[in-house]
Amino acid sequence: MAPEPMVSIGFIAKRTGNAVSLIRYYANEGLIPSVRTSGGNRAFPRSVIRRVSFILIAQNMGYSLANIKDLLSTLPDNRTPTQADWAKLSRVFNEHIEAKIAALTSLKASLEGCIGCGCLSLERCRLYNSDDKVAAQGSGAQLLDENVQSQFLVSHKK
Amino acid sequence: MAPEPMVSIGFIAKRTGNAVSLIRYYANEGLIPSVRTSGGNRAFPRSVIRRVSFILIAQNMGYSLANIKDLLSTLPDNRTPTQADWAKLSRVFNEHIEAKIAALTSLKASLEGCIGCGCLSLERCRLYNSDDKVAAQGSGAQLLDENVQSQFLVSHKK
DNA sequence: TTAATATCTAAAGCTAACTTTAGATCAAGT
DNA sequence: ACTTGATCTAAAGTTAGCTTTAGATATTAA
Protein backbone atom coordinates (compact mmCIF):
# COMPACT_ATOMS: atom_id res chain seq x y z
CA MET A 1 0.00 0.00 0.00
CA ALA A 2 1.20 3.50 -0.80
CA PRO A 3 2.47 5.39 2.26
CA GLU A 4 -0.06 7.91 3.40
CA PRO A 5 0.65 11.51 2.36
CA MET A 6 1.51 13.65 5.36
CA VAL A 7 0.29 17.20 5.71
CA SER A 8 1.12 20.23 7.84
CA ILE A 9 -0.79 21.59 10.78
CA GLY A 10 -1.86 24.59 8.74
CA PHE A 11 -3.35 22.33 6.11
CA ILE A 12 -5.46 20.49 8.66
CA ALA A 13 -6.53 23.77 10.20
CA LYS A 14 -7.66 25.21 6.87
CA ARG A 15 -9.43 22.06 5.72
CA THR A 16 -11.41 21.74 8.93
CA GLY A 17 -11.99 25.48 9.26
CA ASN A 18 -10.25 25.88 12.59
CA ALA A 19 -7.39 27.77 14.16
CA VAL A 20 -3.95 26.21 14.11
CA SER A 21 -3.86 26.51 17.87
CA LEU A 22 -6.86 24.19 18.14
CA ILE A 23 -5.24 21.51 16.02
CA ARG A 24 -2.10 21.76 18.09
CA TYR A 25 -4.19 21.52 21.23
CA TYR A 26 -5.95 18.37 20.02
CA ALA A 27 -2.60 16.86 19.06
CA ASN A 28 -1.16 17.62 22.48
CA GLU A 29 -4.22 16.13 24.14
CA GLY A 30 -3.77 12.93 22.16
CA LEU A 31 -7.01 13.28 20.25
CA ILE A 32 -5.29 13.13 16.87
CA PRO A 33 -2.11 11.26 15.90
CA SER A 34 0.96 13.00 14.51
CA VAL A 35 4.66 12.44 13.82
CA ARG A 36 7.50 14.96 13.57
CA THR A 37 9.54 16.12 10.59
CA SER A 38 13.33 16.17 10.84
CA GLY A 39 13.05 19.81 11.79
CA GLY A 40 10.55 19.19 14.56
CA ASN A 41 7.30 20.30 12.91
CA ARG A 42 4.22 18.13 13.28
CA ALA A 43 3.09 16.06 10.32
CA PHE A 44 -0.37 14.52 10.12
CA PRO A 45 -1.85 11.82 7.94
CA ARG A 46 -4.62 13.22 5.80
CA SER A 47 -7.11 11.01 7.62
CA VAL A 48 -6.77 13.33 10.59
CA ILE A 49 -9.09 15.71 8.79
CA ARG A 50 -11.90 13.22 9.18
CA ARG A 51 -10.99 12.65 12.76
CA VAL A 52 -11.17 16.34 13.51
CA SER A 53 -14.50 16.61 11.75
CA PHE A 54 -15.81 13.83 13.92
CA ILE A 55 -14.58 15.59 17.03
CA LEU A 56 -16.39 18.76 16.06
CA ILE A 57 -19.64 16.96 15.39
CA ALA A 58 -19.45 15.07 18.66
CA GLN A 59 -18.72 18.28 20.54
CA ASN A 60 -21.77 19.84 19.00
CA MET A 61 -23.72 16.91 20.33
CA GLY A 62 -22.54 17.73 23.81
CA TYR A 63 -19.70 15.27 24.33
CA SER A 64 -16.69 16.35 26.32
CA LEU A 65 -13.25 15.87 24.82
CA ALA A 66 -12.63 13.11 27.36
CA ASN A 67 -15.70 11.25 26.14
CA ILE A 68 -14.70 11.80 22.54
CA LYS A 69 -11.26 10.44 23.23
CA ASP A 70 -12.89 7.26 24.47
CA LEU A 71 -15.08 7.07 21.42
CA LEU A 72 -12.11 7.58 19.13
CA SER A 73 -10.03 5.01 20.95
CA THR A 74 -11.66 2.30 18.86
CA LEU A 75 -9.93 3.76 15.82
CA PRO A 76 -6.37 2.57 15.07
CA ASP A 77 -3.57 4.96 15.90
CA ASN A 78 -0.85 3.40 13.83
CA ARG A 79 -2.68 3.04 10.54
CA THR A 80 -5.27 5.02 8.63
CA PRO A 81 -8.77 3.95 9.65
CA THR A 82 -10.62 1.84 7.13
CA GLN A 83 -14.25 2.14 6.25
CA ALA A 84 -14.95 -0.72 8.63
CA ASP A 85 -13.27 1.17 11.47
CA TRP A 86 -15.44 4.21 10.91
CA ALA A 87 -18.55 2.12 10.41
CA LYS A 88 -18.05 0.46 13.77
CA LEU A 89 -17.59 3.83 15.45
CA SER A 90 -20.59 5.26 13.70
CA ARG A 91 -22.74 2.40 14.95
CA VAL A 92 -21.91 3.29 18.53
CA PHE A 93 -22.40 6.96 17.83
CA ASN A 94 -25.70 6.23 16.18
CA GLU A 95 -26.99 4.54 19.28
CA HIS A 96 -26.14 7.62 21.25
CA ILE A 97 -28.00 9.81 18.81
CA GLU A 98 -31.04 7.60 19.09
CA ALA A 99 -30.87 7.71 22.87
CA LYS A 100 -30.75 11.49 22.77
CA ILE A 101 -33.70 11.66 20.45
CA ALA A 102 -35.64 9.39 22.76
CA ALA A 103 -34.75 11.49 25.78
CA LEU A 104 -35.79 14.69 24.08
CA THR A 105 -39.03 13.15 22.93
CA SER A 106 -39.84 12.08 26.45
CA LEU A 107 -38.82 15.47 27.82
CA LYS A 108 -41.22 17.08 25.38
CA ALA A 109 -44.05 14.82 26.44
CA SER A 110 -43.35 15.42 30.12
CA LEU A 111 -43.22 19.14 29.65
CA GLU A 112 -46.53 19.17 27.84
CA GLY A 113 -48.07 16.99 30.51
CA CYS A 114 -46.73 19.10 33.35
CA ILE A 115 -47.86 22.40 32.01
CA GLY A 116 -51.08 20.95 30.73
CA CYS A 117 -52.16 19.28 33.93
CA GLY A 118 -52.19 22.47 35.92
CA CYS A 119 -50.20 21.13 38.85
CA LEU A 120 -47.34 23.38 37.95
CA SER A 121 -45.04 21.42 40.18
CA LEU A 122 -42.23 20.90 37.79
CA GLU A 123 -39.96 20.09 40.66
CA ARG A 124 -41.93 17.06 41.75
CA CYS A 125 -42.81 15.38 38.49
CA ARG A 126 -40.79 13.11 36.26
CA LEU A 127 -39.25 15.97 34.32
CA TYR A 128 -36.08 16.66 36.14
CA ASN A 129 -35.98 14.24 38.99
CA SER A 130 -36.30 10.74 37.59
CA ASP A 131 -33.92 11.15 34.68
CA ASP A 132 -31.06 12.95 36.30
CA LYS A 133 -30.97 11.69 39.82
CA VAL A 134 -30.66 8.18 38.52
CA ALA A 135 -27.71 9.15 36.38
CA ALA A 136 -26.08 10.83 39.33
CA GLN A 137 -26.10 7.57 41.25
CA GLY A 138 -23.82 5.82 38.77
CA SER A 139 -20.86 4.01 40.30
CA GLY A 140 -18.46 6.18 38.40
CA ALA A 141 -16.70 3.66 36.21
CA GLN A 142 -19.05 3.57 33.26
CA LEU A 143 -18.22 6.36 30.90
CA LEU A 144 -20.26 5.49 27.87
CA ASP A 145 -23.19 4.10 29.76
CA GLU A 146 -23.29 7.21 31.83
CA ASN A 147 -23.47 9.20 28.62
CA VAL A 148 -26.46 7.27 27.50
CA GLN A 149 -28.11 7.67 30.86
CA SER A 150 -27.62 11.33 31.41
CA GLN A 151 -28.24 12.04 27.75
CA PHE A 152 -26.93 15.55 27.63
CA LEU A 153 -23.69 15.51 29.56
CA VAL A 154 -23.23 19.24 29.40
CA SER A 155 -23.02 19.53 33.14
CA HIS A 156 -19.92 21.14 34.55
CA LYS A 157 -20.66 19.97 38.04
CA LYS A 158 -18.20 17.89 39.98
CA MET B 1 -54.63 36.97 47.13
CA ALA B 2 -52.63 35.56 50.00
CA PRO B 3 -49.07 36.83 50.13
CA GLU B 4 -46.68 34.18 48.86
CA PRO B 5 -44.82 32.26 51.58
CA MET B 6 -41.13 33.07 51.56
CA VAL B 7 -38.47 30.43 52.13
CA SER B 8 -34.77 30.34 52.93
CA ILE B 9 -31.91 29.61 50.61
CA GLY B 10 -31.31 26.28 52.32
CA PHE B 11 -34.88 25.26 51.67
CA ILE B 12 -34.55 25.97 47.95
CA ALA B 13 -31.25 24.13 47.86
CA LYS B 14 -32.67 21.02 49.50
CA ARG B 15 -35.84 20.97 47.45
CA THR B 16 -33.98 21.23 44.16
CA GLY B 17 -31.17 18.96 45.27
CA ASN B 18 -28.41 21.50 44.88
CA ALA B 19 -25.71 23.18 46.93
CA VAL B 20 -26.56 26.40 48.69
CA SER B 21 -23.68 28.04 46.85
CA LEU B 22 -25.39 27.34 43.55
CA ILE B 23 -28.64 28.95 44.61
CA ARG B 24 -26.74 31.98 45.84
CA TYR B 25 -24.87 32.08 42.57
CA TYR B 26 -28.10 32.03 40.55
CA ALA B 27 -29.55 34.75 42.74
CA ASN B 28 -26.48 36.92 42.26
CA GLU B 29 -26.62 36.35 38.51
CA GLY B 30 -30.21 37.50 38.44
CA LEU B 31 -31.60 34.15 37.33
CA ILE B 32 -33.94 33.88 40.29
CA PRO B 33 -35.68 36.67 42.22
CA SER B 34 -35.18 37.26 45.94
CA VAL B 35 -35.73 39.84 48.67
CA ARG B 36 -33.91 40.34 51.96
CA THR B 37 -35.00 39.77 55.54
CA SER B 38 -34.46 42.54 58.07
CA GLY B 39 -31.24 40.79 59.03
CA GLY B 40 -29.92 40.60 55.51
CA ASN B 41 -30.62 36.99 54.61
CA ARG B 42 -32.14 36.18 51.24
CA ALA B 43 -35.80 35.15 51.10
CA PHE B 44 -37.33 33.47 48.07
CA PRO B 45 -40.88 32.90 46.96
CA ARG B 46 -41.64 29.19 46.77
CA SER B 47 -42.10 29.50 43.03
CA VAL B 48 -38.36 29.85 42.73
CA ILE B 49 -38.15 26.08 43.14
CA ARG B 50 -39.87 25.66 39.80
CA ARG B 51 -37.65 28.26 38.25
CA VAL B 52 -34.53 26.47 39.41
CA SER B 53 -35.90 23.17 38.10
CA PHE B 54 -36.42 24.78 34.75
CA ILE B 55 -32.87 26.11 34.74
CA LEU B 56 -31.49 22.65 35.43
CA ILE B 57 -33.50 21.06 32.67
CA ALA B 58 -32.51 23.74 30.19
CA GLN B 59 -28.87 23.36 31.15
CA ASN B 60 -29.11 19.66 30.55
CA MET B 61 -30.38 20.49 27.09
CA GLY B 62 -27.24 22.48 26.44
CA TYR B 63 -28.37 26.04 27.07
CA SER B 64 -25.96 28.50 28.61
CA LEU B 65 -27.07 30.48 31.62
CA ALA B 66 -27.17 33.58 29.45
CA ASN B 67 -29.59 31.87 27.08
CA ILE B 68 -31.68 30.63 29.97
CA LYS B 69 -31.84 34.10 31.42
CA ASP B 70 -33.33 35.26 28.13
CA LEU B 71 -35.82 32.41 28.13
CA LEU B 72 -36.83 33.17 31.71
CA SER B 73 -37.17 36.88 31.03
CA THR B 74 -40.69 36.24 29.77
CA LEU B 75 -41.66 35.27 33.33
CA PRO B 76 -42.73 38.05 35.71
CA ASP B 77 -40.22 39.09 38.33
CA ASN B 78 -42.55 40.87 40.68
CA ARG B 79 -45.30 38.28 40.97
CA THR B 80 -45.47 34.52 41.05
CA PRO B 81 -45.81 33.12 37.54
CA THR B 82 -49.21 31.82 36.60
CA GLN B 83 -49.92 28.72 34.63
CA ALA B 84 -50.31 30.88 31.54
CA ASP B 85 -46.83 32.33 32.07
CA TRP B 86 -45.28 28.88 32.23
CA ALA B 87 -47.36 27.63 29.34
CA LYS B 88 -46.08 30.43 27.13
CA LEU B 89 -42.50 29.68 28.09
CA SER B 90 -42.97 25.99 27.55
CA ARG B 91 -44.28 26.63 24.05
CA VAL B 92 -41.04 28.37 23.12
CA PHE B 93 -39.03 25.68 24.83
CA ASN B 94 -40.96 23.03 23.03
CA GLU B 95 -40.06 24.48 19.67
CA HIS B 96 -36.43 24.30 20.64
CA ILE B 97 -36.80 20.66 21.61
CA GLU B 98 -38.41 19.90 18.29
CA ALA B 99 -35.63 21.66 16.44
CA LYS B 100 -33.05 19.64 18.30
CA ILE B 101 -34.84 16.41 17.55
CA ALA B 102 -34.97 17.36 13.88
CA ALA B 103 -31.27 18.20 13.85
CA LEU B 104 -30.34 14.92 15.48
CA THR B 105 -32.53 12.99 13.10
CA SER B 106 -30.84 14.61 10.16
CA LEU B 107 -27.41 14.05 11.68
CA LYS B 108 -28.24 10.40 12.04
CA ALA B 109 -29.31 10.14 8.41
CA SER B 110 -26.21 11.97 7.23
CA LEU B 111 -23.92 9.79 9.26
CA GLU B 112 -25.50 6.65 7.90
CA GLY B 113 -25.24 7.99 4.37
CA CYS B 114 -21.63 9.05 4.79
CA ILE B 115 -20.36 5.83 6.23
CA GLY B 116 -22.53 3.76 3.98
CA CYS B 117 -21.52 5.40 0.71
CA GLY B 118 -17.89 4.50 1.10
CA CYS B 119 -16.56 7.96 0.29
CA LEU B 120 -15.39 8.31 3.86
CA SER B 121 -14.97 12.01 3.37
CA LEU B 122 -16.83 13.19 6.40
CA GLU B 123 -15.18 16.56 6.04
CA ARG B 124 -16.66 17.29 2.66
CA CYS B 125 -20.21 16.09 2.99
CA ARG B 126 -23.20 17.72 4.60
CA LEU B 127 -22.46 16.38 8.04
CA TYR B 128 -20.42 19.07 9.61
CA ASN B 129 -20.09 21.76 7.03
CA SER B 130 -23.55 22.77 5.95
CA ASP B 131 -25.13 22.82 9.38
CA ASP B 132 -22.54 24.61 11.40
CA LYS B 133 -20.89 26.99 9.02
CA VAL B 134 -24.25 28.53 8.29
CA ALA B 135 -24.89 29.06 11.96
CA ALA B 136 -21.49 30.63 12.38
CA GLN B 137 -22.38 33.30 9.85
CA GLY B 138 -25.11 34.82 12.00
CA SER B 139 -24.99 38.56 12.43
CA GLY B 140 -24.61 38.21 16.16
CA ALA B 141 -27.76 39.86 17.42
CA GLN B 142 -30.10 36.91 17.34
CA LEU B 143 -29.72 34.92 20.48
CA LEU B 144 -32.65 32.59 20.31
CA ASP B 145 -32.58 32.15 16.57
CA GLU B 146 -28.95 31.30 16.77
CA ASN B 147 -29.82 28.66 19.31
CA VAL B 148 -32.25 27.07 16.97
CA GLN B 149 -29.77 27.21 14.13
CA SER B 150 -26.76 25.79 15.85
CA GLN B 151 -28.91 23.30 17.73
CA PHE B 152 -26.41 22.27 20.33
CA LEU B 153 -24.79 25.45 21.53
CA VAL B 154 -22.21 23.69 23.59
CA SER B 155 -19.38 25.44 21.84
CA HIS B 156 -17.04 27.43 24.03
CA LYS B 157 -15.43 29.12 21.07
CA LYS B 158 -15.26 32.86 20.81
C1' DT C 1 20.87 33.69 -0.02
C1' DT C 2 17.52 36.14 1.85
C1' DA C 3 13.11 37.60 3.10
C1' DA C 4 8.57 36.12 4.25
C1' DT C 5 5.74 32.83 6.25
C1' DA C 6 4.81 28.82 9.09
C1' DT C 7 5.69 26.24 13.27
C1' DC C 8 7.50 25.31 17.71
C1' DT C 9 7.40 25.52 23.01
C1' DA C 10 6.13 27.01 27.35
C1' DA C 11 3.54 29.81 29.93
C1' DA C 12 -0.01 32.83 30.70
C1' DG C 13 -4.69 34.46 29.80
C1' DC C 14 -9.73 33.83 29.07
C1' DT C 15 -14.84 32.46 29.78
C1' DA C 16 -18.41 29.81 31.89
C1' DA C 17 -20.17 27.92 35.75
C1' DC C 18 -19.38 26.87 39.90
C1' DT C 19 -17.17 25.70 44.73
C1' DT C 20 -14.25 26.84 48.60
C1' DT C 21 -12.48 29.65 52.16
C1' DA C 22 -12.37 32.98 55.90
C1' DG C 23 -14.24 35.70 58.98
C1' DA C 24 -18.47 37.87 60.42
C1' DT C 25 -23.46 38.05 61.43
C1' DC C 26 -28.23 35.95 61.85
C1' DA C 27 -31.67 32.95 63.63
C1' DA C 28 -33.39 29.33 66.63
C1' DG C 29 -33.57 26.24 70.40
C1' DT C 30 -32.71 25.59 75.42
C1' DA D 1 -27.93 34.26 77.64
C1' DC D 2 -25.74 30.93 75.05
C1' DT D 3 -24.64 27.75 71.76
C1' DT D 4 -25.35 25.75 67.40
C1' DG D 5 -26.31 25.96 62.78
C1' DA D 6 -27.59 28.82 58.77
C1' DT D 7 -26.32 32.74 55.99
C1' DC D 8 -23.67 36.58 54.50
C1' DT D 9 -19.80 38.85 51.63
C1' DA D 10 -15.80 39.12 49.04
C1' DA D 11 -12.22 36.99 47.04
C1' DA D 12 -9.81 33.25 45.43
C1' DG D 13 -9.67 28.60 43.42
C1' DT D 14 -11.26 24.96 39.91
C1' DT D 15 -12.15 22.57 35.37
C1' DA D 16 -12.82 22.48 30.46
C1' DG D 17 -11.53 24.08 26.34
C1' DC D 18 -9.31 27.05 24.06
C1' DT D 19 -6.44 31.44 22.45
C1' DT D 20 -2.63 34.63 22.96
C1' DT D 21 2.01 35.93 23.63
C1' DA D 22 7.01 35.85 23.21
C1' DG D 23 10.96 34.47 21.45
C1' DA D 24 13.13 30.96 18.81
C1' DT D 25 13.49 27.81 14.74
C1' DA D 26 11.82 25.69 10.19
C1' DT D 27 10.23 25.96 5.55
C1' DT D 28 9.31 28.04 1.26
C1' DA D 29 9.55 31.30 -2.55
C1' DA D 30 12.10 34.42 -5.13
Side-chain angles (χ1 to χ4, degrees):
Chain A
M1 342 168 180
E4 177 144 26
M6 302 300 264
V7 298
S8 72
I9 196 171
F11 184 86
I12 301 281
K14 237 166 220 159
R15 279 309 187 86
T16 62
N18 291 278
V20 167
S21 64
L22 180 64
I23 307 301
R24 191 146 41 216
Y25 176 73
Y26 284 170
N28 287 340
E29 294 295 305
L31 285 158
I32 53 182
S34 68
V35 295
R36 297 293 180 145
T37 65
S38 52
N41 284 9
R42 288 181 186 79
F44 303 88
R46 261 189 125 87
S47 60
V48 158
I49 296 174
R50 185 157 48 251
R51 214 167 155 115
V52 170
S53 300
F54 180 85
I55 294 172
L56 299 173
I57 295 169
Q59 271 199 305
N60 258 345
M61 276 191 60
Y63 292 99
S64 69
L65 289 187
N67 289 153
I68 294 171
K69 200 170 172 180
D70 281 343
L71 275 177
L72 284 174
S73 69
T74 68
L75 290 181
D77 246 29
N78 42 342
R79 63 173 171 76
T80 293
T82 64
Q83 178 173 2
D85 292 322
W86 280 108
K88 187 176 157 200
L89 178 53
S90 90
R91 243 192 19 242
V92 174
F93 200 57
N94 208 56
E95 279 164 24
H96 290 208
I97 294 177
E98 277 169 8
K100 282 203 181 219
I101 292 177
L104 278 174
T105 303
S106 119
L107 172 62
K108 193 181 151 207
S110 297
L111 190 58
E112 279 160 358
C114 255
I115 300 296
C117 76
C119 71
L120 277 182
S121 50
L122 228 54
E123 77 273 14
R124 286 195 308 159
C125 72
R126 297 141 302 176
L127 249 189
Y128 179 69
N129 289 321
S130 70
D131 287 333
D132 283 321
K133 301 297 166 168
V134 170
Q137 284 162 3
S139 68
Q142 23 165 282
L143 261 179
L144 292 183
D145 283 330
E146 209 178 352
N147 291 353
V148 172
Q149 277 178 37
S150 69
Q151 312 299 351
F152 300 105
L153 29 100
V154 189
S155 166
H156 294 281
K157 290 164 198 165
K158 286 175 196 166
Chain B
M1 342 170 180
E4 177 142 26
M6 303 301 264
V7 299
S8 72
I9 195 170
F11 184 87
I12 301 281
K14 237 166 220 159
R15 279 308 187 86
T16 62
N18 290 278
V20 168
S21 64
L22 180 64
I23 307 301
R24 192 146 41 217
Y25 176 73
Y26 285 170
N28 287 341
E29 295 295 305
L31 284 159
I32 53 182
S34 68
V35 296
R36 297 292 181 144
T37 66
S38 53
N41 285 8
R42 288 181 186 78
F44 303 88
R46 263 189 123 84
S47 60
V48 157
I49 296 175
R50 186 155 48 249
R51 214 168 154 116
V52 170
S53 300
F54 181 85
I55 294 172
L56 299 173
I57 296 169
Q59 272 199 305
N60 258 344
M61 276 192 59
Y63 292 99
S64 68
L65 289 186
N67 289 153
I68 294 171
K69 198 171 176 181
D70 280 342
L71 276 176
L72 283 174
S73 70
T74 68
L75 291 180
D77 247 29
N78 43 341
R79 62 172 171 75
T80 292
T82 65
Q83 177 173 3
D85 292 323
W86 280 108
K88 188 176 156 200
L89 178 54
S90 88
R91 244 192 17 243
V92 174
F93 202 57
N94 209 56
E95 281 164 23
H96 290 209
I97 295 176
E98 278 170 8
K100 281 201 183 221
I101 291 177
L104 279 174
T105 304
S106 121
L107 171 63
K108 192 181 153 209
S110 297
L111 191 58
E112 279 159 357
C114 254
I115 300 295
C117 77
C119 72
L120 278 181
S121 51
L122 228 56
E123 79 273 12
R124 286 195 308 161
C125 71
R126 297 141 302 175
L127 251 187
Y128 180 69
N129 289 320
S130 69
D131 288 332
D132 282 321
K133 300 298 165 167
V134 170
Q137 282 162 5
S139 68
Q142 22 165 283
L143 260 179
L144 291 184
D145 283 329
E146 211 177 349
N147 291 354
V148 172
Q149 276 178 37
S150 69
Q151 312 299 350
F152 301 103
L153 30 100
V154 187
S155 167
H156 294 279
K157 290 167 196 164
K158 285 175 195 167

